[in-house]
């Protein structure tokens, strides 16, 4: 449930502008991802600063609904981002897709908006 003081949901024009900005920022990051692919392969994980840069670009918010601070991008946009990442480094694309999906289920905004809490046992059964 949302409170009265919540900001209005972004309009489609707002979202379009955000996606255009995301696309441009991703283009700027692709050479770094390409250059760091071998490092990520050796470590079997994305370098932390690359993951933070991807987060800063906004890619992990692509699948999340707008009401929870996401961009609620359509599948074509999401696949375009993944494809562009894959041309730079397939492992980074894979990890990003997993991060996008995980992020769509959780956000700090979800805790405030929906009131998510850790599940506690219901008590003895039987």
């Amino acid at each position: 449930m949302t409170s009265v003081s919540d900001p209005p949901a972004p309009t489609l024009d707002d979202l379009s502008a955000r996606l255009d900005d995301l696309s441009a920022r991703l283009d700027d990051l692709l050479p770094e991802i390409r250059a760091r692919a071998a490092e990520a392969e050796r470590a079997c994980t994305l370098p932390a600063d690359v993951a933070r840069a991807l987060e800063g670009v906004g890619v992990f918010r692509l699948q999340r609904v707008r009401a929870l601070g996401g961009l609620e991008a359509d599948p074509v946009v999401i696949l375009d981002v993944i494809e562009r990442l894959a041309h730079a480094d397939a492992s980074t694309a894979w990890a990003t897709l997993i991060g996008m999906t995980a992020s769509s289920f959780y956000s700090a905004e979800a805790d405030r908006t929906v009131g998510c809490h850790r599940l506690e046992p219901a008590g003895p059964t039987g």
Side-chain angles (χ1 to χ4, degrees), residues 26-110:
L26 181 62
D27 285 343
D28 291 342
L29 187 57
L30 292 176
E32 175 77 8
I33 290 170
R34 190 173 292 107
R36 309 269 308 270
E39 175 187 346
E41 182 70 22
R42 280 190 304 277
C44 296
T45 189
L46 289 179
D49 61 321
V50 172
R52 281 191 301 274
L54 287 165
E55 181 179 17
V57 166
V59 296
F60 298 120
R61 295 177 33 237
L62 283 169
Q63 289 185 8
R64 192 179 314 147
V65 296
R66 285 180 270 178
L68 298 179
L71 297 171
E72 203 171 315
D74 66 65
V76 173
V77 170
I78 292 166
L79 290 173
D80 176 66
V81 166
I82 295 302
E83 181 180 15
R84 290 164 59 202
L85 284 167
H87 281 284
D89 177 37
S91 294
T92 297
W94 177 255
T96 300
L97 180 60
I98 292 168
M100 278 184 200
T101 303
S103 175
S104 68
F105 295 115
Y106 172 80
S107 72
E109 183 63 23

